[in-house]
Amino acid sequence: MEHTPERPLRVAILISGRGSNMQALVDAVMADHLPVRVCTVLANRADAAGLDWARAKGLQAECLSHRDFDSRDAFDAALRARLDALAPDVILLAGFMRVLGHDFVRHFNGRIINIHPSLLPAFPGLHTHQQALAQGVQWHGCTVHFVTPVLDHGPIIAQGAIPVLASDTPDSLAARLLPVEHQVYVQVLRWLAEGRVTLKDDGRVQVAGVDHRAWAGDTLFE
Ligand code: GAR
């Protein structure tokens, strides 16, 4: 369904830290008047810097700390209840560093999207830039994908790639990749708002009318 200002796409953005991807998403919504309503920016850490930024933009921003719960399941249940109350169409994980349990993922099946700093299926998990350097790959990148119960393995919506330089360190790779992450995630949000993104029965993603979902640096590959 194509969203309109009267029927905006409702998104919840989940963060754990500085939230630069969240900021890029929110800035695009505001600057380009996208038919998107950010119903919450939610962090699992009270000290997530992105919360202050979101509040300063006048957004609903809140913390649900996993430390306040005895178990992963209890945290997931509270998060699920909070999100159910807000009824988002999609939940965008933007540097949300908490693994979500199977029940949570199944409950929101096909409605959770994540950005991961590698060209999946290579390098799931943590320290992706270090992993890329250790393997000697010549291309590194980011992936926006649907979340499934298998960590960092869901259907791919779009990817951005950067070359790996001989002089690269994990920090330099991360810094060069970050603007590409922002670009790719914002474009995916646009496609979502335009109602173009479908998760097909074969487990792959289709974006209606779009043939190129790969960025080389900050340029959409054509
Ligand atoms: C981003 O690089 C994002 O891809 C990564 O955390 C960073 C968050 O930065 N996410 C993951 O590693 C998820 N497994 P941000 O808070 O500035 O958006």
Side-chain angles (χ1 to χ4, degrees):
M1 176 178 90
E2 182 172 355
H3 291 271
T4 61
E6 294 73 36
R7 259 195 333 200
L9 176 79
R10 292 178 63 80
V11 305
I13 307 179
L14 272 50
I15 64 171
S16 294
R18 93 195 132 174
S20 74
N21 276 286
M22 175 273 295
Q23 294 178 25
L25 294 167
V26 168
D27 279 344
V29 169
M30 290 181 169
D32 299 343
H33 306 290
L34 299 183
V36 171
R37 166 129 168 69
V38 179
C39 48
T40 193
V41 172
L42 187 149
N44 66 317
R45 300 175 55 109
D47 61 357
L51 285 178
D52 292 334
W53 186 92
R55 285 191 191 109
K57 289 279 174 183
L59 295 173
Q60 151 79 30
E62 59 196 298
C63 171
L64 187 69
S65 172
H66 59 274
R67 298 210 175 123
D68 292 341
F69 297 88
D70 289 340
S71 66
R72 188 173 291 280
D73 285 351
F75 172 72
D76 280 5
L79 183 59
R80 169 178 159 173
R82 178 64 189 135
L83 292 171
D84 275 341
L86 295 166
D89 296 304
V90 284
I91 298 162
L92 303 180
L93 308 183
F96 187 67
M97 302 308 281
R98 195 80 201 148
V99 174
L100 295 164
H102 292 193
D103 289 347
F104 182 97
V105 172
R106 278 198 206 96
H107 178 73
F108 294 107
N109 184 31
R111 290 161 58 202
I112 312 174
I113 291 172
N114 181 42
I115 185 155
H116 182 77
S118 79
L119 290 172
L120 291 175
F123 316 137
L126 296 174
H127 310 300
T128 55
H129 313 303
Q130 227 162 316
Q131 293 190 58
L133 290 174
Q135 292 300 323
V137 296
Q138 298 300 296
W139 290 94
H140 185 45
C142 62
T143 303
V144 176
H145 66 99
F146 282 103
V147 171
T148 62
V150 184
L151 184 67
D152 297 332
H153 269 93
I156 292 169
I157 305 173
Q159 290 185 310
I162 57 170
V164 178
L165 310 179
S167 55
D168 264 323
T169 63
D171 285 350
S172 70
L173 264 186
R176 281 215 323 290
L177 184 59
L178 197 61
V180 181
E181 293 191 29
H182 299 164
Q183 192 123 12
V184 175
Y185 218 171
V186 165
Q187 181 62 69
V188 169
L189 179 60
R190 283 180 206 281
W191 288 333
L192 290 165
E194 291 163 358
R196 291 172 186 243
V197 182
T198 312
L199 185 49
K200 295 191 298 171
D201 289 343
D202 67 3
R204 294 178 7 151
V205 172
Q206 188 172 35
V207 181
V210 175
D211 214 15
H212 300 105
R213 297 188 269 138
W215 277 255
D218 58 6
T219 307
L220 185 59
F221 178 83
E222 295 204 42

mmCIF file of all heavy atoms in Angstrom, residues 89-109:
data_model
loop_
_atom_site.group_PDB
_atom_site.id
_atom_site.type_symbol
_atom_site.label_atom_id
_atom_site.label_comp_id
_atom_site.label_asym_id
_atom_site.label_seq_id
_atom_site.Cartn_x
_atom_site.Cartn_y
_atom_site.Cartn_z
ATOM 1 N N ASP A 89 3.680 -0.007 11.635
ATOM 2 C CA ASP A 89 3.669 -0.881 10.456
ATOM 3 C C ASP A 89 4.998 -1.601 10.342
ATOM 4 O O ASP A 89 5.047 -2.769 9.936
ATOM 5 C CB ASP A 89 3.435 -0.062 9.185
ATOM 6 C CG ASP A 89 2.076 0.605 9.175
ATOM 7 O OD1 ASP A 89 1.074 -0.117 9.310
ATOM 8 O OD2 ASP A 89 2.026 1.846 9.063
ATOM 9 N N VAL A 90 6.071 -0.882 10.641
ATOM 10 C CA VAL A 90 7.398 -1.498 10.616
ATOM 11 C C VAL A 90 8.235 -1.041 11.815
ATOM 12 O O VAL A 90 8.054 0.074 12.318
ATOM 13 C CB VAL A 90 8.210 -1.195 9.327
ATOM 14 C CG1 VAL A 90 7.727 -1.991 8.153
ATOM 15 C CG2 VAL A 90 8.264 0.267 9.024
ATOM 16 N N ILE A 91 9.133 -1.927 12.213
ATOM 17 C CA ILE A 91 10.069 -1.639 13.296
ATOM 18 C C ILE A 91 11.449 -1.597 12.659
ATOM 19 O O ILE A 91 11.896 -2.600 12.076
ATOM 20 C CB ILE A 91 9.991 -2.750 14.369
ATOM 21 C CG1 ILE A 91 8.579 -2.791 14.968
ATOM 22 C CG2 ILE A 91 11.040 -2.543 15.450
ATOM 23 C CD1 ILE A 91 8.262 -4.090 15.686
ATOM 24 N N LEU A 92 12.091 -0.439 12.715
ATOM 25 C CA LEU A 92 13.408 -0.295 12.083
ATOM 26 C C LEU A 92 14.472 -0.373 13.161
ATOM 27 O O LEU A 92 14.511 0.469 14.074
ATOM 28 C CB LEU A 92 13.494 1.051 11.360
ATOM 29 C CG LEU A 92 12.431 1.318 10.287
ATOM 30 C CD1 LEU A 92 12.655 2.689 9.650
ATOM 31 C CD2 LEU A 92 12.458 0.232 9.205
ATOM 32 N N LEU A 93 15.320 -1.390 13.077
ATOM 33 C CA LEU A 93 16.440 -1.506 14.008
ATOM 34 C C LEU A 93 17.586 -0.675 13.431
ATOM 35 O O LEU A 93 18.015 -0.895 12.292
ATOM 36 C CB LEU A 93 16.867 -2.969 14.166
ATOM 37 C CG LEU A 93 15.749 -3.966 14.519
ATOM 38 C CD1 LEU A 93 16.336 -5.365 14.725
ATOM 39 C CD2 LEU A 93 14.967 -3.528 15.750
ATOM 40 N N ALA A 94 18.050 0.285 14.213
ATOM 41 C CA ALA A 94 19.074 1.209 13.725
ATOM 42 C C ALA A 94 20.199 1.258 14.761
ATOM 43 O O ALA A 94 20.225 2.127 15.621
ATOM 44 C CB ALA A 94 18.474 2.592 13.492
ATOM 45 N N GLY A 95 21.064 0.254 14.684
ATOM 46 C CA GLY A 95 22.107 0.153 15.706
ATOM 47 C C GLY A 95 21.529 -0.345 17.018
ATOM 48 O O GLY A 95 22.001 0.037 18.083
ATOM 49 N N PHE A 96 20.518 -1.198 16.931
ATOM 50 C CA PHE A 96 19.918 -1.789 18.136
ATOM 51 C C PHE A 96 20.708 -3.063 18.432
ATOM 52 O O PHE A 96 20.668 -4.025 17.666
ATOM 53 C CB PHE A 96 18.441 -2.116 17.883
ATOM 54 C CG PHE A 96 17.703 -2.577 19.106
ATOM 55 C CD1 PHE A 96 17.471 -1.708 20.162
ATOM 56 C CD2 PHE A 96 17.226 -3.875 19.200
ATOM 57 C CE1 PHE A 96 16.779 -2.128 21.297
ATOM 58 C CE2 PHE A 96 16.534 -4.305 20.326
ATOM 59 C CZ PHE A 96 16.310 -3.423 21.376
ATOM 60 N N MET A 97 21.463 -3.044 19.530
ATOM 61 C CA MET A 97 22.470 -4.082 19.757
ATOM 62 C C MET A 97 21.969 -5.172 20.705
ATOM 63 O O MET A 97 22.745 -5.732 21.480
ATOM 64 C CB MET A 97 23.755 -3.457 20.278
ATOM 65 C CG MET A 97 24.331 -2.401 19.348
ATOM 66 S SD MET A 97 24.549 -2.943 17.638
ATOM 67 C CE MET A 97 26.054 -3.885 17.809
ATOM 68 N N ARG A 98 20.702 -5.461 20.640
ATOM 69 C CA ARG A 98 20.120 -6.467 21.514
ATOM 70 C C ARG A 98 19.518 -7.536 20.613
ATOM 71 O O ARG A 98 18.752 -7.205 19.688
ATOM 72 C CB ARG A 98 19.044 -5.756 22.302
ATOM 73 C CG ARG A 98 18.484 -6.395 23.493
ATOM 74 C CD ARG A 98 19.249 -6.314 24.742
ATOM 75 N NE ARG A 98 18.746 -7.412 25.571
ATOM 76 C CZ ARG A 98 19.446 -8.064 26.424
ATOM 77 N NH1 ARG A 98 20.698 -7.769 26.615
ATOM 78 N NH2 ARG A 98 18.914 -9.041 27.115
ATOM 79 N N VAL A 99 19.874 -8.789 20.846
ATOM 80 C CA VAL A 99 19.295 -9.859 20.030
ATOM 81 C C VAL A 99 17.840 -10.058 20.460
ATOM 82 O O VAL A 99 17.549 -10.142 21.652
ATOM 83 C CB VAL A 99 20.097 -11.166 20.213
ATOM 84 C CG1 VAL A 99 19.416 -12.316 19.477
ATOM 85 C CG2 VAL A 99 21.525 -10.977 19.718
ATOM 86 N N LEU A 100 16.953 -10.105 19.477
ATOM 87 C CA LEU A 100 15.530 -10.286 19.781
ATOM 88 C C LEU A 100 15.181 -11.766 19.670
ATOM 89 O O LEU A 100 15.612 -12.447 18.735
ATOM 90 C CB LEU A 100 14.692 -9.455 18.804
ATOM 91 C CG LEU A 100 14.909 -7.931 18.952
ATOM 92 C CD1 LEU A 100 14.372 -7.183 17.744
ATOM 93 C CD2 LEU A 100 14.281 -7.428 20.244
ATOM 94 N N GLY A 101 14.411 -12.246 20.626
ATOM 95 C CA GLY A 101 14.094 -13.675 20.684
ATOM 96 C C GLY A 101 13.153 -14.116 19.573
ATOM 97 O O GLY A 101 12.507 -13.298 18.911
ATOM 98 N N HIS A 102 13.092 -15.431 19.384
ATOM 99 C CA HIS A 102 12.295 -15.993 18.298
ATOM 100 C C HIS A 102 10.830 -15.597 18.395
ATOM 101 O O HIS A 102 10.195 -15.294 17.387
ATOM 102 C CB HIS A 102 12.411 -17.523 18.289
ATOM 103 C CG HIS A 102 13.782 -17.977 17.915
ATOM 104 N ND1 HIS A 102 14.063 -19.287 17.579
ATOM 105 C CD2 HIS A 102 14.951 -17.307 17.817
ATOM 106 C CE1 HIS A 102 15.360 -19.383 17.293
ATOM 107 N NE2 HIS A 102 15.909 -18.209 17.444
ATOM 108 N N ASP A 103 10.272 -15.640 19.611
ATOM 109 C CA ASP A 103 8.843 -15.325 19.764
ATOM 110 C C ASP A 103 8.564 -13.886 19.347
ATOM 111 O O ASP A 103 7.570 -13.592 18.685
ATOM 112 C CB ASP A 103 8.389 -15.532 21.215
ATOM 113 C CG ASP A 103 8.337 -17.007 21.565
ATOM 114 O OD1 ASP A 103 8.408 -17.839 20.631
ATOM 115 O OD2 ASP A 103 8.244 -17.318 22.770
ATOM 116 N N PHE A 104 9.462 -12.993 19.744
ATOM 117 C CA PHE A 104 9.308 -11.575 19.383
ATOM 118 C C PHE A 104 9.335 -11.429 17.859
ATOM 119 O O PHE A 104 8.483 -10.773 17.264
ATOM 120 C CB PHE A 104 10.433 -10.763 20.027
ATOM 121 C CG PHE A 104 10.343 -9.280 19.767
ATOM 122 C CD1 PHE A 104 9.767 -8.437 20.700
ATOM 123 C CD2 PHE A 104 10.838 -8.738 18.586
ATOM 124 C CE1 PHE A 104 9.666 -7.064 20.457
ATOM 125 C CE2 PHE A 104 10.741 -7.378 18.336
ATOM 126 C CZ PHE A 104 10.163 -6.540 19.269
ATOM 127 N N VAL A 105 10.318 -12.057 17.249
ATOM 128 C CA VAL A 105 10.475 -11.920 15.800
ATOM 129 C C VAL A 105 9.263 -12.519 15.076
ATOM 130 O O VAL A 105 8.743 -11.940 14.118
ATOM 131 C CB VAL A 105 11.789 -12.580 15.330
ATOM 132 C CG1 VAL A 105 11.868 -12.626 13.817
ATOM 133 C CG2 VAL A 105 12.989 -11.823 15.906
ATOM 134 N N ARG A 106 8.792 -13.656 15.550
ATOM 135 C CA ARG A 106 7.628 -14.268 14.906
ATOM 136 C C ARG A 106 6.388 -13.391 15.059
ATOM 137 O O ARG A 106 5.574 -13.281 14.144
ATOM 138 C CB ARG A 106 7.361 -15.653 15.493
ATOM 139 C CG ARG A 106 8.260 -16.691 14.865
ATOM 140 C CD ARG A 106 7.759 -18.110 15.069
ATOM 141 N NE ARG A 106 8.921 -18.975 14.999
ATOM 142 C CZ ARG A 106 9.599 -19.407 16.059
ATOM 143 N NH1 ARG A 106 9.195 -19.103 17.285
ATOM 144 N NH2 ARG A 106 10.660 -20.161 15.910
ATOM 145 N N HIS A 107 6.247 -12.773 16.223
ATOM 146 C CA HIS A 107 5.076 -11.923 16.469
ATOM 147 C C HIS A 107 5.009 -10.789 15.441
ATOM 148 O O HIS A 107 3.928 -10.439 14.958
ATOM 149 C CB HIS A 107 5.135 -11.359 17.891
ATOM 150 C CG HIS A 107 4.005 -10.440 18.218
ATOM 151 N ND1 HIS A 107 2.714 -10.902 18.429
ATOM 152 C CD2 HIS A 107 3.944 -9.091 18.367
ATOM 153 C CE1 HIS A 107 1.923 -9.871 18.694
ATOM 154 N NE2 HIS A 107 2.637 -8.760 18.659
ATOM 155 N N PHE A 108 6.166 -10.213 15.140
ATOM 156 C CA PHE A 108 6.206 -9.096 14.189
ATOM 157 C C PHE A 108 6.708 -9.569 12.821
ATOM 158 O O PHE A 108 7.334 -8.800 12.087
ATOM 159 C CB PHE A 108 7.113 -7.976 14.722
ATOM 160 C CG PHE A 108 6.589 -7.298 15.964
ATOM 161 C CD1 PHE A 108 7.164 -7.528 17.200
ATOM 162 C CD2 PHE A 108 5.501 -6.433 15.892
ATOM 163 C CE1 PHE A 108 6.679 -6.891 18.341
ATOM 164 C CE2 PHE A 108 5.012 -5.793 17.028
ATOM 165 C CZ PHE A 108 5.603 -6.020 18.263
ATOM 166 N N ASN A 109 6.411 -10.788 12.492
ATOM 167 C CA ASN A 109 6.952 -11.414 11.291
ATOM 168 C C ASN A 109 6.817 -10.534 10.047
ATOM 169 O O ASN A 109 5.734 -10.070 9.718
ATOM 170 C CB ASN A 109 6.215 -12.751 11.070
ATOM 171 C CG ASN A 109 6.799 -13.496 9.899
ATOM 172 O OD1 ASN A 109 8.000 -13.371 9.631
ATOM 173 N ND2 ASN A 109 5.961 -14.233 9.187
#
